[in-house]
Amino acid sequence: MNQRGFHQPNGAWVGDVIPWQEDGVFHLLYLHESRRVPKIGMPWHRVTTRNLVDFDDLGEALASGGSSAPDFNVYTGSVVLGPDGVHHVFYTGQHPERRGTDGLALQLVMHAVSTDGMRTWERREADTFGATAGYETADWRDPFVFWDEDAAVWRMLITARHAHGPERRRGVIAQCISTDLSTWEPVEPFWDPRRYIAHECPEVFQWGDWWYLVYSEFSESFTTRYRMSRTLHGPWLVPEHDTLDGRAYYAAKSAARDGRRFFFGWIASREGAHDAGAWQWAGTMSVLEAEQRADGTLAFHPPTELRDTFAPADEPTDTVVAPGTVLSAPDGYADALSAVDAPSSFRLVARFDIAPGTTECGVLLRASDDGDEGYVLRLEPKRDRLVFDRWPRSSTGTEQWQISGDVPFVVELERPCHLAPGLHELEVIVDGDLCVATVDDAVVLSTRLYDRPSGRVGVFVGEGTVTVEACTLLERDGGDSDDDPTSHRLLTSTTS
């Protein structure tokens, strides 16, 4: 089930990733979700990569503690290298039948060490501890440990909830400190906004003159966000665009190499592998790279390594729309479509010069011959956003409200981005049922494409004018393209 640049184990799904970089190798520990019923306990598995494209699956890394153990489920945590060269993992232990003193489900912080390069782990059961005073026992998870050089202590950030207060606004990132990685002392909360249900999978890192706090927001949004500060202790600033991706990309945590920082999250699957299915926990591992702007804010895009897996240098690029093509429909709609279906995996790069007053433009994916049905990535300059849409919006025929068109786009899949008149680039990487779209090398939207496995690609405009400066389709080496190397360059155009 592996696709270059993405990873999903055979017969299972990738949950939260715990990335660790050492000697140029990314060690990606992750929650291995089998979705078996009855549950068999969740372990960590491990894959490694040097090039961020090809992943070596090393199988189980940290096993479930067993049917009666407090860590029947081994949930999210972090890795550190101790001063003695020993690797330490701190993780969440959970058993569905255990309860805390407050009667709620019990979560515990647990500890294990490895002296053989993370191949095997020895549990340190005596170091286990649960929620400290003032916190719920059911939310005490995702320990993130790092060394604070200025204070000469290890700090542990913990996803927690206050024991009292408004139900939906008790989320807090609790904090403990240690000098020996064994005993931990609770101190003041690291971050306490009193805004969300919980702030999952927290991490903090320094990049140049800025500190960054990253967390996944357990709320109606279900997205990964970041905050900025000049110091480790805040105050934490909210950037204008504070999300890494949209609803379908979750629990991203990062690791750095050679001055570059990469985020490893998962693109959620949908129930029943249908476009109208509910989002599920866990999916396919996907990597995004962060770029630091001059003002400290972050831009996100797929790594160059993933982009370079398309269109080898010795093969021609397929031109979908001739450079300089003008699509104009001041009060209507116009599009241009490829003459044949696109391959199952491709990278489409479209550059639009958007005229003032234009309502919408964008790309069509896996579209019908006339462009009426398919997936749509729509730039909306008047609303400064990218949205993902599909038509028909229901594949089952049972959701009449979707068929009727009462919903303006796929709920939860929109991304804010500045779309002033002028030149903008929309890049789309499609690989099987995965789709990662990027606007201006800065704003990412990931999703799934289940119900239409094939179709044409194209560009469109609605109520306005765009000049298509470029629209090229780049295929994977050894992909499933048509035998005719020029087939994707032939176009039909329609207006309505």
Side-chain angles (χ1 to χ4, degrees):
M1 295 186 66
N2 288 329
Q3 299 145 300
R4 298 199 74 199
F6 304 94
H7 177 75
Q8 184 179 333
N10 291 328
W13 291 262
V14 173
D16 303 350
V17 181
I18 298 93
W20 176 255
Q21 190 276 135
E22 189 170 332
D23 297 330
V25 178
F26 292 99
H27 300 261
L28 307 173
L29 301 152
Y30 68 90
L31 278 57
H32 186 268
E33 173 61 276
S34 66
R35 295 182 184 161
R36 285 182 58 179
V37 179
K39 290 288 188 180
I40 58 174
M42 180 172 289
W44 284 7
H45 278 219
R46 177 167 65 125
V47 296
T48 60
T49 182
R50 285 185 178 273
N51 63 7
L52 298 166
V53 170
D54 301 303
F55 299 91
D56 294 324
D57 191 337
L58 303 180
E60 189 174 77
L62 185 61
S64 162
S67 60
S68 61
D71 56 351
F72 172 73
N73 290 314
V74 180
Y75 288 154
T76 309
S78 59
V79 180
V80 296
L81 186 64
D84 54 359
V86 173
H87 289 94
H88 298 251
V89 294
F90 296 88
Y91 64 96
T92 308
Q94 192 265 355
H95 193 290
E97 297 179 0
R98 296 200 176 203
R99 294 291 181 268
T101 56
D102 53 8
L104 299 174
L106 182 64
Q107 293 185 342
L108 301 167
V109 169
M110 304 186 75
H111 182 200
V113 298
S114 175
T115 58
D116 60 3
M118 297 191 288
R119 288 186 290 274
T120 61
W121 295 93
E122 175 190 350
R123 284 168 162 83
R124 296 277 178 90
E125 296 180 1
D127 295 346
T128 300
F129 68 101
T132 56
Y135 297 113
E136 292 183 353
T137 65
D139 289 88
W140 191 253
R141 63 181 179 275
D142 308 343
F144 177 78
V145 175
F146 66 101
W147 176 249
D148 179 351
E149 186 172 355
D150 291 340
V153 296
W154 294 97
R155 294 189 181 274
M156 177 187 290
L157 310 187
I158 304 169
T159 295
R161 276 171 55 82
H162 291 291
H164 304 286
E167 182 67 24
R168 292 186 302 111
R169 299 199 298 275
R170 295 186 194 173
V172 58
I173 297 180
Q175 181 178 201
C176 295
I177 59 173
S178 175
T179 57
D180 60 6
L181 290 173
S182 180
T183 57
W184 293 89
E185 172 191 353
V187 293
E188 71 284 348
F190 186 82
W191 191 52
D192 193 7
R194 299 278 182 157
R195 185 170 182 189
Y196 303 119
I197 295 172
H199 313 94
E200 299 189 302
C201 304
E203 72 161 327
V204 67
F205 59 86
Q206 187 176 19
W207 193 354
D209 295 330
W210 287 96
W211 285 89
Y212 296 89
L213 169 63
V214 180
Y215 63 93
S216 290
E217 176 189 312
F218 191 90
S219 73
E220 72 283 356
S221 297
F222 286 99
T223 190
T224 303
R225 300 183 185 273
Y226 77 96
R227 297 291 183 261
M228 307 163 50
S229 176
R230 290 293 190 179
T231 75
L232 175 60
H233 306 290
W236 295 98
L237 308 177
V238 183
E240 179 184 8
H241 295 158
D242 66 337
T243 51
L244 277 64
D245 199 322
R247 168 64 177 86
Y249 186 77
Y250 197 66
K253 295 175 73 171
S254 71
R257 185 180 68 184
D258 300 330
R260 300 167 68 191
R261 183 160 291 271
F262 304 94
F263 283 82
F264 302 85
W266 43 267
I267 300 176
S269 57
R270 282 187 179 272
E271 187 174 356
H274 288 298
D275 290 335
W279 292 114
Q280 295 176 302
W281 186 88
T284 305
M285 185 188 301
S286 178
V287 187
L288 297 179
E289 182 171 2
E291 301 277 358
Q292 188 182 50
R293 301 186 181 99
D295 64 357
T297 60
L298 301 179
F300 298 92
H301 57 75
T304 301
E305 290 84 349
L306 172 59
R307 291 167 164 169
D308 287 348
T309 64
F310 296 89
D314 59 348
E315 294 185 9
T317 296
D318 292 344
T319 300
V320 178
V321 176
T325 297
V326 177
L327 296 177
S328 185
D331 61 350
Y333 175 89
D335 63 20
L337 294 166
S338 60
V340 297
D341 289 357
S344 63
S345 297
F346 60 86
R347 177 175 175 239
L348 182 71
V349 180
R351 283 193 291 276
F352 300 99
D353 190 349
I354 304 175
T358 297
T359 296
E360 62 182 27
C361 64
V363 302
L364 306 172
L365 304 173
R366 295 181 177 171
S368 57
D369 294 355
D370 61 1
D372 192 48
E373 296 187 0
Y375 301 106
V376 182
L377 284 160
R378 187 167 63 238
L379 298 171
E380 299 181 348
K382 294 179 180 179
R383 296 177 176 175
D384 270 347
R385 69 179 183 179
L386 165 72
V387 303
F388 175 76
D389 205 349
R390 67 177 189 269
W391 190 263
R393 293 193 176 114
S394 173
S395 60
T396 64
T398 61
E399 298 171 80
Q400 189 62 41
W401 61 272
Q402 289 190 337
I403 298 173
S404 69
D406 291 346
V407 179
F409 60 93
V410 178
V411 176
E412 303 170 318
L413 290 179
E414 63 174 313
R415 301 285 288 126
C417 52
H418 292 302
L419 294 171
L423 195 63
H424 296 277
E425 181 177 281
L426 178 56
E427 173 201 42
V428 187
I429 292 175
V430 171
D431 198 348
D433 59 27
L434 300 172
C435 177
V436 180
T438 309
V439 179
D440 293 336
D441 223 26
V443 176
V444 179
L445 187 154
S446 300
T447 189
R448 295 277 184 172
L449 310 177
Y450 283 120
D451 295 345
R452 298 184 64 88
S454 62
R456 306 187 181 194
V457 296
V459 294
F460 73 94
V461 67
E463 298 176 356
T465 300
V466 295
T467 301
V468 183
E469 298 293 346
C471 184
T472 57
L473 187 144
L474 301 91
E475 299 183 32
R476 276 263 168 83
D477 186 18
D480 57 352
S481 62
D482 192 275
D483 290 338
D484 178 2
T486 67
S487 60
H488 301 306
R489 302 171 200 165
L490 303 178
L491 299 185
T492 60
S493 296
T494 63
T495 59
S496 59

